[in-house]
Amino acid sequence: MSSPSVKKNFLMSTAYQVLIIILPFITTPYFSRVLGAGPIGIYSYTQSYQTYFSMFAALGTMSYGTREIARFRDDVTKRSVLFWEIELMYGCMDRLDPVQYQIPDLLYCPEHGHPGDHV
């Protein structure tokens, strides 16, 4: 198998970055027209919750992981064990995201009633 080309990697990475920037300009007007304002607002509200909980799950993981793995850079076994421990910790925190989606649903969904509603 041949070694990867730096030029090819650069071009593919650039194409990917350009696609990430341009694609929303193409899809957003279409989805806004098809879905309407209500569902777009619900999606944005839900996405804001998901973003907060994803940031909470990643809180400090990068700096902790970098520091600890650098400490054991010469011991491959300890470094590998530490890597998988950090990965497991992040995975467990990330698995809480679906649970966090239920909080706004239970609080604000019309089927469940709004907080403070007295039926």
Side-chain angles (χ1 to χ4, degrees):
M1 205 161 138
S2 66
S3 65
S5 165
V6 174
K7 185 185 275 188
K8 181 179 177 184
N9 284 342
F10 175 76
L11 290 174
M12 295 301 278
S13 179
T14 302
Y16 177 70
Q17 294 298 323
V18 168
L19 186 66
I20 286 175
I21 293 170
I22 292 176
L23 197 60
F25 287 111
I26 297 169
T27 58
T28 301
Y30 173 75
F31 286 126
S32 297
R33 183 173 41 88
V34 170
L35 293 177
I40 295 291
I42 292 169
Y43 169 76
S44 297
Y45 182 72
T46 306
Q47 185 183 22
S48 70
Y49 268 89
Q50 189 273 333
T51 301
Y52 282 119
F53 288 108
S54 291
M55 287 188 315
F56 175 73
L59 187 67
T61 305
M62 287 296 291
S63 59
Y64 172 73
T66 302
R67 182 181 65 238
E68 292 301 310
I69 288 178
R71 214 169 58 153
F72 295 111
R73 68 177 166 252
D74 296 328
D75 189 350
V76 177
T77 305
K78 285 184 181 179
R79 186 178 64 206
S80 180
V81 168
L82 182 65
F83 170 80
W84 288 112
E85 287 174 354
I86 294 169
E87 195 66 26
L88 179 66
M89 177 184 66
Y90 177 73
C92 289
M93 293 298 291
D94 199 39
R95 293 302 117 213
L96 293 176
D97 278 353
V99 174
Q100 305 308 326
Y101 275 115
Q102 299 304 314
I103 293 171
D105 182 45
L106 293 174
L107 293 176
Y108 302 109
C109 186
E111 291 88 27
H112 297 112
H114 295 283
D117 283 350
H118 299 288
V119 180

